Amino acid sequence: MTKAIWTAVGLALAATTFSAPVHAGPFDKLKSKVKKIEKKAKEVEQTAAQAEDIVETVSGKKRRGSSRRAGVGRSADGSYCNANLGSNSNSPCSARAPDHVGGAGPVPAKFTGQLNCANLGIGNAFVGRDGKYTFSKGISTEERSGLIERRDVQATNGCLYSGLAVGDVLYVEVDKAKYDKHAYSIQCVSYDGSEQLDNVNGPRINNYKGKDVMLHTGHSFGYEPTATGSNSQRSGAYDALLNKRGRTMLTFNFGALHTDKSGTDFFCQWFNDKTGKSALAVAYRRGPQG
């Protein structure tokens, strides 16, 4: 349906590329026809855009840049979430009631009993959300994005972070010398065992950088440490800081699924096949929006 609509738009727009001569006489009729074609092309384009909005809304998908996005709600600052819309970060933002279905419930013993944590010195963890912040330079104010609204969290069962929800971003650190990121892969199983999530549909792993953690100096949240410069410069500065401490960072965030209205709880582990041990485990509730 969408393809046919846009084909019509293309044909109509193609016709508008011809410019009528300025000369009077027999070409006056041609100029009149061109104007009619331009008007018709605009009407067809508007109709196509409206029809595509309807198609995408029914399918639960909205094109990037649309002012209305199905299954995605406004964040606290009024902006829209960018979860699952092909953004660079794939990072969902925080949801608002009543659409948020809450965090994951207690993890069943069948999962915690199987959890075998690697000795990676895991710690310094917090949960935040992807959002905007401001900082001042002289009398001017600039805006950046990063991890905001943070709360410190502690692991249970050795390396388990539970109670997470769509929109949450988990940040943790491990000992760099003990951690080989290439040795791990994600495993996710719903609490009732009916669903398994792979690398495509499971949590997004390590898609945040140092600049998202070490915000620009003078920012509005007061988190330390800070740095100045571009995003890449701040990421480099944070990497250097971690290296000096012998640490490396891991991030996990959780995408929304618009059809999962009631929410589904998942247990996931960042698992090493060779050792049978997990760098960490998370429990989160998938829901309709982030």
Side-chain angles (χ1 to χ4, degrees), residues 60-97 99-100 129-132 149 165-169 208 253-257 287-290:
K61 298 177 180 178
K62 295 297 291 178
R63 66 186 180 278
R64 188 163 43 173
S66 173
S67 61
R68 298 183 304 279
R69 300 182 180 182
V72 179
R74 287 183 182 274
S75 65
D77 62 2
S79 62
Y80 281 91
C81 307
N82 57 4
N84 300 335
L85 289 176
S87 69
N88 289 333
S89 65
N90 284 323
S91 53
C93 53
S94 65
R96 300 190 308 172
D99 301 288
H100 196 287
R129 74 171 182 89
D130 184 280
K132 302 293 186 181
E149 296 182 8
V166 172
D168 286 340
V169 181
Y208 285 91
N253 62 278
F254 313 99
L257 181 63
Q289 75 177 51

Side-chain angles (χ1 to χ4, degrees), residues 220-238:
S220 51
F221 282 91
Y223 305 133
E224 296 288 347
T226 66
T228 58
S230 66
N231 286 342
S232 61
Q233 287 172 329
R234 296 201 322 278
S235 287
Y238 193 67

